[in-house]
Amino acid sequence: MAVLRNWKIHVFALIIVIISELIGTKRIPLGPGVLLFLPMLYAMIIGGIISWPRLKAVKLDEMNTASTILSLTALMLVTKLGVIIGPSMAKLAQSGLALSLQELGHFLGTVIFGLPIALALGLGREAIGATFSIDREPNIAIIAEKYGLNSPEGRGVMSVYICGTLFGAVWLGLLAGYLAALKVFHPYALAMGAGVGSGSMMAAASGAIKAVFPEHANDILMYAGASNLLTTIIGIYFSLFVSLPITEYLYKVLKPILGRNADKAAGEGVSK
């Protein structure tokens, strides 16, 4: 009930929604594609400005209350997706292999590409926590149980989690809108790729895809929701038994090679 009685948060939220919706979706041509700026982007920017500590418009305890409300609204989003997915189970079954393989894509993107870059930038064991997954809540639990959040791996997973919270939805919304506007990929394939295991990121990406393919709106939500659910459930076991051990192994192999180059570059920078 304390959440409902905090009128300031609800007033700010209403004002942000009204302003964002009045601005609407903006399309900016960029090469062969289009960048889509959705109302969610404006809402995040305005919310970030309002919550800036120096303005003292929103206190820390009110921000914590807003986080509780966010969890409730995410539950409503998942419920809506479940209602859409249920009547379309037959169509989902036809795409079972594609939905299963998308987890492999997440693994390739984070470990195979992310780990070498992290090591080259000079990260130590923080790179393990930062790159073994996209680092959402279940992945944090895995690292916390295995290494502890005060460990280098814990610092890595929390750093990426915070970055994903701040910039993930914005980045995926822009990227998905641009890729959809290219009309190279099927909207269902893009929708499956939108389900990365984060509700906010999935909502931003699927919203951008829907803006380009409005005639497939319900199917896009269905595939994105199913992909997101599959990533959340299967991704826990995949991260625990596949990607984390492989990340550990690749770290031991690549650290002497890439880590040495990063340390050498850092030493030269200090000597100068």
Side-chain angles (χ1 to χ4, degrees):
M1 294 300 295
V3 173
L4 298 177
R5 287 196 297 266
N6 197 320
W7 60 270
K8 185 194 292 186
I9 294 177
H10 300 289
V11 170
F12 274 141
L14 179 61
I15 293 174
I16 291 173
V17 168
I18 292 174
I19 294 175
S20 301
E21 290 296 334
L22 287 176
I23 297 174
T25 301
K26 301 297 181 182
R27 300 168 180 260
I28 298 180
L30 186 62
V34 176
L35 279 180
L36 292 178
F37 292 91
L38 300 174
M40 176 180 284
L41 173 63
Y42 318 136
M44 292 186 66
I45 294 174
I46 297 171
I49 294 173
I50 291 176
S51 60
W52 192 29
R54 288 191 177 182
L55 294 179
K56 298 181 180 180
V58 182
K59 299 178 181 177
L60 181 60
D61 59 336
E62 292 171 337
M63 295 183 192
N64 294 331
T65 302
S67 299
T68 304
I69 299 174
L70 181 61
S71 301
L72 295 175
T73 54
L75 179 62
M76 296 170 61
L77 173 63
V78 172
T79 303
K80 177 185 177 182
L81 292 174
V83 173
I84 295 175
I85 292 171
S88 306
M89 290 302 293
K91 187 178 291 187
L92 286 174
Q94 296 174 1
S95 304
L97 181 61
L99 281 172
S100 300
L101 289 177
Q102 57 97 29
E103 190 60 45
L104 180 61
H106 297 158
F107 165 74
L108 291 173
T110 57
V111 179
I112 303 303
F113 293 123
L115 181 61
I117 294 175
L119 291 175
L121 290 174
L123 270 69
R125 291 190 64 84
E126 290 86 356
I128 296 176
T131 63
F132 87 105
S133 68
I134 66 165
D135 293 343
R136 305 322 296 162
E137 288 84 355
N139 309 117
I140 293 176
I142 292 173
I143 294 296
E145 182 66 25
K146 187 173 178 63
Y147 304 101
L149 290 181
N150 289 327
S151 64
E153 295 84 356
R155 291 193 294 271
V157 73
M158 287 306 301
S159 297
V160 175
Y161 174 77
I162 293 171
C163 288
T165 301
L166 293 175
F167 309 113
V170 176
W171 165 249
L172 278 186
L174 294 175
L175 180 63
Y178 183 76
L179 291 177
L182 290 176
K183 301 293 180 72
V184 174
F185 302 100
H186 196 280
Y188 297 167
L190 292 171
M192 291 180 195
V196 296
S198 167
S200 60
M201 295 183 194
M202 182 213 65
S206 59
I209 299 168
K210 281 196 308 174
V212 179
F213 300 101
E215 67 277 11
H216 298 293
N218 284 336
D219 288 336
I220 288 171
L221 281 177
M222 175 194 68
Y223 281 113
S227 175
N228 201 64
L229 182 62
L230 187 68
T231 300
T232 301
I233 297 174
I234 298 179
I236 296 174
Y237 301 100
F238 189 90
S239 297
L240 182 60
F241 298 112
V242 179
S243 64
L244 184 56
I246 292 178
T247 305
E248 281 268 17
Y249 173 76
L250 290 177
Y251 175 83
K252 295 176 182 177
V253 173
L254 296 176
K255 176 61 176 177
I257 304 171
L258 298 176
R260 185 188 309 152
N261 294 334
D263 294 340
K264 181 179 178 181
E268 291 176 352
V270 171
S271 63
K272 290 180 181 179

